Amino acid sequence: MITLYTYGPYFGLPDPSPFVMKAEVLLKMADLPYETDTGGFNKAPKGKLPYINDDGEMVADSTLIRQHIEKKYGFDFDAGLSPPERGIAWAFEKMCEDHLYWAGLHARWMVDENFNKGPRRFFDSAPAPLRPLVVAMVRRQVRRNLWGHGMGRHTMAEMDQLVAPDIEAIADFLAEKPYLMGEAPSGVDATVFPFMAHALCPLFETAIRTCTGRRSNLVAYRNRLMAQYFPDFAGAGKEIV
Ligand SMILES: N[C@@H](CCC(=O)N[C@@H](CS)C(=O)NCC(=O)O)C(=O)O
C-alpha cells in the first residue's frame, strides 16, 4: 500500500500545496490504491511535502514520485504522446513548478492580507505564546527561499508581469481541448490542473487570479478536472474568480 503524505485540505482546496495535489492526481491517474497521512511533515526526508512510502520505499518529490510510478508499476503517464509532445508537456509542467509557483508563493506569504487569511492558519495548532515567533521564523525562511530563487528580488508588479505570460501560454495552448495535450489526460495535467486550481483560489486577491479568471477555458478546465479528480471540492469557489 502506498501512503501519500499531505497537508490536508485548506482554503477550499484538496491541499494547500499544488505539488501534493499533483502527486495525488498521479496516483489517481495510475489507478493505484493509496492512503493519505497528514502527519508526515516533521519526518519529511527533504523537509517538504509531498513524499510517499511505497511498501517501505520512501520517494520524496512529486516528479520523483511520477518516475517511481512509471518504473515500478509500468504506467506511462504520457502514453499516446509523440516525443515532441512529451517535450512540450514537460516544459509546461516545469514552467508551473519552477516559475509560476514562486510568484504565487510570494502573493500568499508576503502580502499580509493574503497571509493572514491563508498560510497563517497553518500555525493555529502551535502553542499560543510561541506562535508569533514561529510564524515570523517560517515567514523569514520563505522570504529567503524567494530571494534564493530570484523571484523574490522583483517588485510585485514585475513578478506579475513575469508570470502573466505563463498563464496566457497555458490558456492559448489548451484552447478548447479538454486536456492540455488533447482528448485524454496526460502527466502534465497532474501539474497544470493543481496550479490553475491554486491560481483561481477565491480566498486570495492576486493578479495571477485575475489573469487566470479572464481566460474562461482555464476556469472550465479547473472545474472539469476538479470534478474528475476531487469531486468533493468541485463546488468550492467555482463561481468566484
Ligand atoms: N519539488 C518539490 C516541491 C515541493 C514543495 O515545494 N513543497 C512545499 C509546499 S508547496 C513544501 O512542503 N514546503 C515546505 C518547506 O519548504 O518548508 C516537489 O515537486 O515535490
Side-chain angles (χ1 to χ4, degrees):
M1 176 63 116
I2 297 174
T3 303
L4 170 66
Y5 294 92
T6 70
Y7 291 103
Y10 277 93
F11 321 147
L13 291 164
D15 201 276
S17 164
F19 296 99
V20 171
M21 280 180 66
K22 168 187 167 186
E24 192 158 1
V25 173
L26 289 169
L27 290 165
K28 288 171 191 270
M29 282 179 170
D31 206 16
L32 293 173
Y34 68 94
E35 60 186 14
T36 57
D37 184 336
T38 56
F41 182 69
N42 290 335
K43 288 171 277 163
K46 294 176 186 168
K48 289 186 177 215
L49 298 184
Y51 65 98
I52 58 168
N53 180 342
D54 185 357
D55 261 336
E57 193 178 348
M58 309 298 266
V59 186
D61 184 277
S62 63
T63 302
L64 293 177
I65 291 170
R66 172 182 169 158
Q67 291 170 343
H68 169 82
I69 294 171
E70 289 177 329
K71 202 163 155 208
K72 178 163 177 184
Y73 299 97
F75 187 84
D76 182 359
F77 289 97
D78 286 349
L81 300 190
S82 66
E85 285 171 333
R86 285 171 187 252
I88 291 167
W90 181 260
F92 270 112
E93 178 172 324
K94 297 306 156 199
M95 179 180 77
C96 288
E97 296 181 348
D98 295 330
H99 193 245
L100 178 60
Y101 169 71
W102 292 95
L105 185 72
H106 181 276
R108 278 187 195 180
W109 281 80
M110 297 301 138
V111 177
D112 286 341
E113 196 184 297
N114 288 331
F115 180 77
N116 291 336
K117 285 189 285 186
R120 191 180 284 283
R121 299 275 73 79
F122 299 151
F123 306 96
D124 283 353
S125 59
L130 286 180
R131 203 175 299 149
L133 231 88
V134 177
V135 167
M137 205 179 74
V138 176
R139 238 179 147 185
R140 199 162 43 242
Q141 187 56 47
V142 172
R143 191 181 293 283
R144 279 200 204 109
N145 294 346
L146 279 156
W147 185 264
H149 172 272
M151 187 61 84
R153 298 174 193 224
H154 302 302
T155 64
M156 277 283 282
E158 286 170 337
M159 281 184 228
D160 295 340
Q161 196 177 317
L162 284 169
V163 300
D166 296 356
I167 304 292
E168 300 301 336
I170 296 166
D172 290 339
F173 188 76
L174 174 67
E176 297 312 313
K177 304 192 295 292
Y179 300 98
L180 203 71
M181 302 310 295
E183 293 302 311
S186 60
V188 66
D189 293 297
T191 297
V192 173
F193 152 58
F195 275 90
M196 294 302 98
H198 275 262
L200 289 165
C201 179
L203 191 62
F204 304 109
E205 297 286 343
T206 66
I208 297 174
R209 189 184 98 188
T210 309
C211 181
T212 312
R214 273 198 210 112
R215 301 300 300 257
S216 58
N217 64 336
L218 292 181
V219 177
Y221 171 80
R222 184 276 305 259
N223 292 346
R224 207 163 46 242
L225 273 74
M226 193 67 90
Q228 178 172 359
Y229 293 110
F230 298 102
D232 292 350
F233 293 85
K238 198 172 163 177
E239 68 295 345
I240 323 160
V241 286

